[in-house]
Amino acid sequence: MKDLLRVADLSPEDLADLLRRAEEFMRHPLAAHDLLRGRTVLLYFAKPSTRTRISSETAVARLGGTPVAVGPAELQLGRGETIEDTARVISSYTAAVIIRTFADQDVRTFASAAQVPVINALTDGHHPLQALADLMTLREHVGDLRGRKIAYVGAATNVTHSLMEAAAPAGLSIAVATPPAYAPDPAVEATTRKLSTGGDLLLTGDPLEAVEGADAVYTDVWLSMGDPPEEKAARVAALSPYRVTAELMSAAGPDAIFLHCLPAHRGEEVTAEVIDGPRSRVFRQAANRLPTVQAVLEALL
Ligand code: CP
Ligand code: NVA
């Protein structure tokens, strides 16, 4: 495997190895401190980021390298240099590239032209690094994920897609409750079904059906960075019945935890009572972004 562009790029063995290694990096942060000595990793972020950007820069430092972070205004890409030329040139300087942008096709184009590993740090369609931290956090709560269940409630997003694709090789059942207009991409649904190793995939319009027996309830923002801002009012109207409330949490399993990739909007997709309450693991989940990206960098290098 040269790149990590979506979770479906990972075999069940790759996924298990990454999670195991991330758990080791959590305990021993400097376990591979010489891997990137004298080398750089480019971070290109065309959208804002708190967790992914800072955890990735820190992971590069922990592996002994130097992160080089640039935005769209700083590269000649913004003046029309092609993605392919940019990828070829950057490959001659850096050990790997971590990219957050809009269209998934742009990251695929970059990765095909690059001679170094390329990691998707969030596109409109996928957020594979997030899904690794999500599974790591759930494993900390329940141990082996086989036979367990996660429920996602809200608008299907890049985060939902990567979670679905991660559940499949992990043997984790996933139920996704969305209004019909904000359902997951049918292509991701098909991939998830194809890659399933025993877990179920349920797509429903009913949040109560989705959370029944779940070990975790997950949500994400109702308007993602790649969505048109003028959709906000329609989304709030359609998604209000999908807010994660204390009542919805009590319909899940008695030990169910609450997960959210963050940033969160209290009072929209989740109430403050839930995200700031005793079942919430969102800050542990955010902390797990660091050892997971460290594991990905090590595996690809
Ligand atoms: N969850 C996540 O990717 O957060 P950032 O947008 O802050 O990186
Ligand atoms: N779905 C959200 C995730 C942010 C980490 C977005 O793309 O804005």
Side-chain angles (χ1 to χ4, degrees), residues 91-103:
S91 297
S92 62
Y93 310 138
T94 65
V97 180
I98 301 178
I99 300 182
R100 170 169 290 196
T101 187
F102 293 83

PDB file of all heavy atoms in Angstrom, residues 91-103:
ATOM      1  N   SER A  91       7.560  15.432  -4.412  1.00  0.00           N
ATOM      2  CA  SER A  91       8.089  14.083  -4.122  1.00  0.00           C
ATOM      3  C   SER A  91       9.614  14.071  -4.063  1.00  0.00           C
ATOM      4  O   SER A  91      10.197  13.175  -3.456  1.00  0.00           O
ATOM      5  CB  SER A  91       7.654  13.097  -5.207  1.00  0.00           C
ATOM      6  OG  SER A  91       6.261  12.965  -5.232  1.00  0.00           O
ATOM      7  N   SER A  92      10.253  15.033  -4.734  1.00  0.00           N
ATOM      8  CA  SER A  92      11.719  15.018  -4.716  1.00  0.00           C
ATOM      9  C   SER A  92      12.287  15.673  -3.458  1.00  0.00           C
ATOM     10  O   SER A  92      13.497  15.660  -3.253  1.00  0.00           O
ATOM     11  CB  SER A  92      12.280  15.674  -5.986  1.00  0.00           C
ATOM     12  OG  SER A  92      11.881  17.021  -6.065  1.00  0.00           O
ATOM     13  N   TYR A  93      11.410  16.245  -2.627  1.00  0.00           N
ATOM     14  CA  TYR A  93      11.908  16.876  -1.392  1.00  0.00           C
ATOM     15  C   TYR A  93      11.466  16.160  -0.122  1.00  0.00           C
ATOM     16  O   TYR A  93      12.150  16.231   0.884  1.00  0.00           O
ATOM     17  CB  TYR A  93      11.379  18.315  -1.254  1.00  0.00           C
ATOM     18  CG  TYR A  93      11.541  19.209  -2.459  1.00  0.00           C
ATOM     19  CD1 TYR A  93      10.510  20.052  -2.844  1.00  0.00           C
ATOM     20  CD2 TYR A  93      12.732  19.239  -3.170  1.00  0.00           C
ATOM     21  CE1 TYR A  93      10.642  20.896  -3.921  1.00  0.00           C
ATOM     22  CE2 TYR A  93      12.869  20.085  -4.268  1.00  0.00           C
ATOM     23  CZ  TYR A  93      11.813  20.913  -4.638  1.00  0.00           C
ATOM     24  OH  TYR A  93      11.943  21.741  -5.715  1.00  0.00           O
ATOM     25  N   THR A  94      10.273  15.575  -0.156  1.00  0.00           N
ATOM     26  CA  THR A  94       9.635  15.170   1.101  1.00  0.00           C
ATOM     27  C   THR A  94       9.505  13.646   1.187  1.00  0.00           C
ATOM     28  O   THR A  94       9.569  12.941   0.179  1.00  0.00           O
ATOM     29  CB  THR A  94       8.209  15.770   1.211  1.00  0.00           C
ATOM     30  OG1 THR A  94       7.408  15.200   0.183  1.00  0.00           O
ATOM     31  CG2 THR A  94       8.219  17.275   1.073  1.00  0.00           C
ATOM     32  N   ALA A  95       9.263  13.158   2.415  1.00  0.00           N
ATOM     33  CA  ALA A  95       9.089  11.708   2.624  1.00  0.00           C
ATOM     34  C   ALA A  95       7.638  11.291   2.428  1.00  0.00           C
ATOM     35  O   ALA A  95       7.360  10.129   2.134  1.00  0.00           O
ATOM     36  CB  ALA A  95       9.544  11.349   4.036  1.00  0.00           C
ATOM     37  N   ALA A  96       6.711  12.221   2.633  1.00  0.00           N
ATOM     38  CA  ALA A  96       5.275  11.907   2.503  1.00  0.00           C
ATOM     39  C   ALA A  96       4.511  13.214   2.417  1.00  0.00           C
ATOM     40  O   ALA A  96       5.055  14.286   2.725  1.00  0.00           O
ATOM     41  CB  ALA A  96       4.779  11.100   3.705  1.00  0.00           C
ATOM     42  N   VAL A  97       3.243  13.111   1.984  1.00  0.00           N
ATOM     43  CA  VAL A  97       2.396  14.301   1.844  1.00  0.00           C
ATOM     44  C   VAL A  97       1.046  14.012   2.497  1.00  0.00           C
ATOM     45  O   VAL A  97       0.460  12.943   2.277  1.00  0.00           O
ATOM     46  CB  VAL A  97       2.198  14.666   0.358  1.00  0.00           C
ATOM     47  CG1 VAL A  97       1.308  15.895   0.221  1.00  0.00           C
ATOM     48  CG2 VAL A  97       3.539  14.911  -0.325  1.00  0.00           C
ATOM     49  N   ILE A  98       0.571  14.953   3.289  1.00  0.00           N
ATOM     50  CA  ILE A  98      -0.722  14.834   3.963  1.00  0.00           C
ATOM     51  C   ILE A  98      -1.601  15.967   3.429  1.00  0.00           C
ATOM     52  O   ILE A  98      -1.227  17.137   3.525  1.00  0.00           O
ATOM     53  CB  ILE A  98      -0.536  14.942   5.496  1.00  0.00           C
ATOM     54  CG1 ILE A  98       0.408  13.837   5.990  1.00  0.00           C
ATOM     55  CG2 ILE A  98      -1.876  14.885   6.214  1.00  0.00           C
ATOM     56  CD1 ILE A  98       0.703  13.870   7.485  1.00  0.00           C
ATOM     57  N   ILE A  99      -2.754  15.607   2.823  1.00  0.00           N
ATOM     58  CA  ILE A  99      -3.546  16.611   2.088  1.00  0.00           C
ATOM     59  C   ILE A  99      -4.973  16.690   2.602  1.00  0.00           C
ATOM     60  O   ILE A  99      -5.665  15.672   2.701  1.00  0.00           O
ATOM     61  CB  ILE A  99      -3.640  16.250   0.589  1.00  0.00           C
ATOM     62  CG1 ILE A  99      -2.262  16.187  -0.037  1.00  0.00           C
ATOM     63  CG2 ILE A  99      -4.504  17.265  -0.157  1.00  0.00           C
ATOM     64  CD1 ILE A  99      -2.289  15.892  -1.531  1.00  0.00           C
ATOM     65  N   ARG A 100      -5.444  17.903   2.874  1.00  0.00           N
ATOM     66  CA  ARG A 100      -6.875  18.155   3.141  1.00  0.00           C
ATOM     67  C   ARG A 100      -7.395  19.087   2.051  1.00  0.00           C
ATOM     68  O   ARG A 100      -6.911  20.203   1.891  1.00  0.00           O
ATOM     69  CB  ARG A 100      -7.071  18.797   4.510  1.00  0.00           C
ATOM     70  CG  ARG A 100      -8.498  19.300   4.706  1.00  0.00           C
ATOM     71  CD  ARG A 100      -8.798  19.712   6.140  1.00  0.00           C
ATOM     72  NE  ARG A 100      -8.854  18.580   7.030  1.00  0.00           N
ATOM     73  CZ  ARG A 100      -9.395  18.603   8.251  1.00  0.00           C
ATOM     74  NH1 ARG A 100      -9.916  19.716   8.720  1.00  0.00           N
ATOM     75  NH2 ARG A 100      -9.408  17.521   9.001  1.00  0.00           N
ATOM     76  N   THR A 101      -8.363  18.602   1.290  1.00  0.00           N
ATOM     77  CA  THR A 101      -8.904  19.458   0.230  1.00  0.00           C
ATOM     78  C   THR A 101     -10.377  19.131  -0.010  1.00  0.00           C
ATOM     79  O   THR A 101     -11.029  18.529   0.841  1.00  0.00           O
ATOM     80  CB  THR A 101      -8.029  19.342  -1.038  1.00  0.00           C
ATOM     81  OG1 THR A 101      -8.485  20.293  -1.991  1.00  0.00           O
ATOM     82  CG2 THR A 101      -8.065  17.960  -1.645  1.00  0.00           C
ATOM     83  N   PHE A 102     -10.919  19.530  -1.134  1.00  0.00           N
ATOM     84  CA  PHE A 102     -12.346  19.374  -1.417  1.00  0.00           C
ATOM     85  C   PHE A 102     -12.584  18.069  -2.194  1.00  0.00           C
ATOM     86  O   PHE A 102     -12.966  17.067  -1.607  1.00  0.00           O
ATOM     87  CB  PHE A 102     -12.858  20.606  -2.173  1.00  0.00           C
ATOM     88  CG  PHE A 102     -12.835  21.852  -1.302  1.00  0.00           C
ATOM     89  CD1 PHE A 102     -11.668  22.601  -1.135  1.00  0.00           C
ATOM     90  CD2 PHE A 102     -13.969  22.262  -0.610  1.00  0.00           C
ATOM     91  CE1 PHE A 102     -11.640  23.717  -0.312  1.00  0.00           C
ATOM     92  CE2 PHE A 102     -13.952  23.384   0.222  1.00  0.00           C
ATOM     93  CZ  PHE A 102     -12.789  24.107   0.358  1.00  0.00           C
ATOM     94  N   ALA A 103     -12.358  18.082  -3.503  1.00  0.00           N
ATOM     95  CA  ALA A 103     -12.701  16.933  -4.352  1.00  0.00           C
ATOM     96  C   ALA A 103     -11.779  15.746  -4.092  1.00  0.00           C
ATOM     97  O   ALA A 103     -10.548  15.884  -4.087  1.00  0.00           O
ATOM     98  CB  ALA A 103     -12.614  17.337  -5.818  1.00  0.00           C
TER      99      ALA A 103
END
